[in-house]
Amino acid sequence: MTRVLLTGGTGYIASHTAVALSERGHEVVLLDNFSNSERDVPERLRRLTGKAFPLIEADIRDVPTVTAALSAHPVDAVIHFAALKAVGESEADPLLYYDMNIIGTIRLLQAMQESGVRRIVFSSSATVYGQPDASPIQEDAPTRVQNIYGRTKLVMEDLIRDLARTGKLLAAANLRYFNPVGAHPSAMIGETPRGVPNNLMPYMTQVATGERPHLSVFGDDYDTPDGTGVRDYLHVMDLAEAHALALEHICAHEVSVTVNLGTGIGISVLDLVHAFERATGRKIPLKMSPRRPGDVASNYANPEAAARIFGWKVQRDVDDMCRDAWRWQAARAGINDV
Ligand code: NAD
Ligand code: UFG
């Protein structure tokens, strides 16, 4: 059993990870400033797990408050989710991203150092690979920063690797997520994008509820089997369980690793639309549109390292991802025929 603090603990991926950790017997403490999450998430987690996780409302850049939290709630490790994550916004406001993501991570690491917490699991992203030479992508592929969000992820990874290399951290896992989608099957927690969703699955679920008239397919002339972009979508509960396994591994072996988290299966935009229509019985009106600037044709993981090192294996397929994403969105929209 491990006691672990989740920064960004009421956000999309962290809230699902809290459930997975709790199911495996770990003790969870949540820290969030609610800048991109709903106030009712702790209560939803309590109803879902039967446990009231301690919650600290704080900004990760506030070293005294985070240090006091770690003193009031001593933990073995931190899982660091808190960050800003919108590529477009990062290009519009670079200083905001450097401040929240890089300075935020430095401040968190300082608070951890002051408190003697020396293990971390970090939310990185496949965005660090930029335009890959080929897929599947292995962890030793070159990293290529394409935007400021991606640069902040790479700098945060490097910070963590440097602290591990110099013995300041005992153990660290940099987890490079591919495309997390879906929700807990209970429909009690899920993803709540603010404003117009940037990502395919949340946009599609809002088309299905009738909130948006159609889905724009950004490019149908890529060099892919059906011409649309190929990505590696993975169910957020599989991703959540990977965090529990990563945490257990680094705590047991006091090692540092950098690992992809994806299924290894490339799915095109049209594949995902068809899977969604199959799983939900809802028709998604499409509009073929120009390519979105900065998009790559194809990007999917080689997930063998996560299987070999953590013993992680995905349990859910694309139909589960679509069904659970839809259950969550339908519940929020008050649609009951799901
Ligand atoms: P999210 O926005 O739902 O969760 C982030 C949480 O952090 C939010 O609850 C927000 O309120 C909180 N937060 C932000 N800044 C904070 C600060 N300064 N202090 C305290 N709390 C703060 O995002 P998510 O999708 O759950 O992503 C979690 C992590 O995973 C992020 O680091 C993100 O970059 C990374 N990631 C996400 C994806 C994805 O597709 N969702 C893909 C790759 C990597
Ligand atoms: N797409 C559409 N229509 C939409 C939205 C997306 O056709 O309305 C297409 C995109 O062109 C792409 C695919 O659906 O081919 C997936 O797009 P997403 O925006 O869902 O995901 P990305 O892979 O583009 O981006 C995600 C994260 C980024 C991260 C990147 C690389 O959202 O933050 O993965 O890891 F940088």
Side-chain angles (χ1 to χ4, degrees):
M1 192 273 287
T2 305
R3 293 193 70 181
V4 56
L5 177 89
L6 274 46
T7 72
T10 58
Y12 170 47
I13 300 169
S15 56
H16 292 81
T17 302
V19 175
L21 289 166
S22 176
E23 275 170 2
R24 290 179 70 88
H26 301 297
E27 278 184 31
V28 172
V29 179
L30 307 174
L31 183 144
D32 208 299
N33 66 356
F34 291 102
S35 56
N36 197 38
S37 58
E38 303 294 324
R39 295 258 161 202
D40 64 355
V41 171
E43 172 55 19
R44 287 169 174 271
L45 286 173
R46 193 192 61 73
R47 293 210 311 271
L48 187 51
T49 64
K51 293 187 192 128
F53 304 130
L55 168 72
I56 296 113
E57 184 168 350
D59 191 299
I60 52 166
R61 293 166 298 178
D62 179 352
V63 178
T65 303
V66 177
T67 307
L70 289 171
S71 159
H73 304 279
V75 296
D76 305 296
V78 168
I79 309 185
H80 180 29
F81 295 96
L84 299 181
K85 59 168 185 174
V87 171
E89 188 186 40
S90 76
E91 291 288 300
D93 197 346
L95 284 178
L96 176 69
Y97 272 67
Y98 289 132
D99 185 35
M100 284 292 240
N101 291 1
I102 297 176
I103 303 287
T105 299
I106 292 172
R107 297 285 174 258
L108 171 70
L109 289 163
Q110 286 170 334
M112 288 171 60
Q113 194 159 300
E114 275 181 41
S115 312
V117 180
R118 296 174 68 194
R119 299 176 193 90
I120 193 166
V121 175
F122 173 61
S123 297
S124 190
S125 167
T127 196
V128 299
Y129 296 117
Q131 297 266 355
D133 294 328
S135 283
I137 306 171
Q138 209 162 287
E139 289 81 356
D140 58 4
T143 50
R144 294 188 182 121
V145 167
Q146 303 252 308
N147 52 60
I148 285 159
Y149 168 68
R151 185 179 306 285
T152 66
K153 284 289 164 196
L154 210 47
V155 172
M156 293 185 278
E157 277 197 11
D158 283 339
L159 266 169
I160 288 167
R161 269 190 292 270
D162 279 343
L163 294 194
R165 183 177 53 76
T166 54
K168 306 288 182 216
L169 288 169
L170 290 175
N174 285 311
L175 304 181
R176 293 175 173 168
Y177 312 160
F178 279 68
N179 291 55
V181 294
H184 192 272
S186 66
M188 287 173 69
I189 53 172
E191 185 175 15
T192 319
R194 301 214 165 143
V196 182
N198 290 315
N199 299 119
L200 178 58
M201 181 68 95
Y203 199 102
M204 184 158 59
T205 59
Q206 293 191 6
V207 174
T209 60
E211 287 163 77
R212 304 192 185 277
H214 63 261
L215 174 73
S216 298
V217 176
F218 296 144
D220 61 358
D221 57 352
Y222 283 110
D223 183 16
T224 59
D226 66 17
T228 66
V230 167
R231 295 290 183 277
D232 188 335
Y233 300 95
L234 80 157
H235 196 293
V236 67
M237 284 309 300
D238 279 320
L239 180 61
E241 287 158 10
H243 286 77
L245 295 177
L247 177 73
E248 289 162 16
H249 178 82
I250 65 160
C251 289
H253 302 285
E254 304 287 29
V255 289
S256 296
V257 293
T258 298
V259 168
N260 287 338
L261 294 177
T263 63
I265 300 169
I267 293 179
S268 74
V269 174
L270 293 181
D271 288 339
L272 194 69
V273 170
H274 296 144
F276 187 87
E277 291 181 333
R278 203 168 54 234
T280 66
R282 300 248 156 176
K283 185 90 193 126
I284 302 297
L286 300 180
K287 196 168 158 192
M288 293 305 161
S289 305
R291 293 181 179 192
R292 186 171 63 176
D295 271 358
V296 301
S298 181
N299 173 335
Y300 56 95
N302 177 336
E304 282 166 17
R308 190 180 65 249
I309 300 171
F310 307 146
W312 179 64
K313 199 168 164 291
V314 296
Q315 309 287 334
R316 299 153 182 95
D317 65 13
V318 67
D319 292 342
D320 299 318
M321 299 177 208
C322 292
R323 185 201 59 217
D324 293 337
W326 172 235
R327 275 189 190 159
W328 164 246
Q329 189 61 33
R332 288 174 57 76
I335 296 169
N336 299 317
D337 64 337
V338 180

